[in-house]
Amino acid sequence: MENLEYVNNLKPGDILYLRGGVYYVNETINLMVSGLSDAYITIRNYPGEMPVLYGSDKNILNGKIKFSEYEDGVYYANLSRSPLYVAQDSERLYHYKSLEDLLKMKVGVKGGWFYDPSTKRLYVATINGTNPSLSRLHVSKLYAILNVQGRYIDISGLEVAYAYYGIVLSRGSSDCVVENCHIHNINRGIHTGRGVSNSLIQNNTIWDTGIMKWPWDMVKGTDAEGAGISLSYAGPGNVVRFNRIMGLFNGIAASAWGDLYNTSLIRDTDIHDNYIIDVGDDGIEPEGSGINLRIWNNIIVNSLCAVSLAPITYGPTYVFRNLCINFTLLGFKLNSEYPSSGWKYLYHNTVYSSITHPSNIWRELPIIIGSTGARYSRLITRNNIFHLSGNNYIITTRHTHDECSFDYDNLYQNCELPHQLLKFALVEGTDYRDMNALKTSAKIEINGISADSRFVDPEKGDFRLRSNSPCIDAGVAIPNFNDDYYGDAPDLGAIEYKP
């Protein structure tokens, strides 16, 4: 199967089954038809089989295009246009901006590529230094494997790999479903165009390689700055749930950067029950109006920032019952060139870092809320567990925190240093070194506690509360958020204790 042009002959109610096997896609498959609300057009795997759609250049894989030695372990081949993605087997290679940088391996790990448009040469250094002709080199020139522009389309059960984008829901599409797909070796797994609305993205596994090995500052601002799921300038009514995302620069990005005050974008959206691990920047990144944006029951492990609310311009944005584990810089990012002035509610999150040494790039230990230069207002926190293992601030803001309210949280710092050296909270430029000072002087966390939460086994990822946890019954009732609590009052954190 070289292409699927005939997909545009599909009618409402049609189901196109793809048989198992590897299919090389020469050009982006553009699906430009629509179903009906009661008669979706479906493209899916044949039951029990897995169709695999690769954007790799087959002529390179089968050896018809040969590589010749250039120098110092770098090889070249003639290629008519620039690739968008290159991998050796499943290991992504870094895209260098010059041949000189490729020869120097400036990213610090072996393997990389550079395309010279003046000579139409692709230069490649493999991970093991061998001629790329002897390796399984995936070179893709595809913008996307599948591009959907329509309504009432269901894409299910496909494996998609080796392209810049995996599956795209183009501008204006609505009421589409992408589910049960395995998407890998891409820069953005599932991407929505401007105004995409009422679509469901669920039960997909999305991953990439390379990103976590490369320095952050050599990925940020480059073509490797991607995301597992990107709701780019998306409209209302979208749901992103039950997805597993690994190894991308961002996990789930819901951004209207450049149009942050547009109230028709990044709103009325649910992001829940996703598992996001090993991402180079933000686990979940909503940027824009954030009107009725709900983020809950997600697990985010090993990120730079777990959740970036930088900025939310209107709100309300609700972030509740998420597990945010081992972020290297920020639990909740609130700083950007714009103040985060929309209403933001953080309820029942467990935010935990066991990191005790600063990263080489940032040279500081993790902070939970804000940063030492953050500008934000209208932030409400209730019933959270904020746990740091290193000496840095749990709450920070250097500017007036108008209409903010912090209470009924557990702010705990597992750090054995003399009291005068402790960082605990930084509020409007004033240091507070413990909970008592924060309560009495700053009038913050009046009903909060500062104690070891006594998780069952945090080293193994078990953040349930033990029966003797001080977080049990230490919270406050919040209608519609914790109505089903056990005991005398809600517990703190993402997981209610159940005896």
Side-chain angles (χ1 to χ4, degrees), residues 255-268:
S255 177
W257 198 259
D259 202 2
L260 294 169
Y261 294 89
N262 189 329
T263 56
S264 69
L265 305 177
I266 314 301
R267 60 169 299 160
D268 301 307

Side-chain angles (χ1 to χ4, degrees), residues 169-185:
L169 303 180
S170 284
R171 182 180 185 128
S173 296
S174 69
D175 302 281
C176 294
V177 178
V178 181
E179 59 185 346
N180 303 317
C181 291
H182 179 196
I183 304 171
H184 61 94
N185 291 104

Side-chain angles (χ1 to χ4, degrees), residues 381-397:
T381 73
R382 294 290 187 273
N383 299 349
N384 301 284
I385 294 174
F386 298 143
H387 178 118
L388 287 180
S389 299
N391 185 30
N392 214 339
Y393 299 111
I394 297 173
I395 296 173
T396 62
T397 173

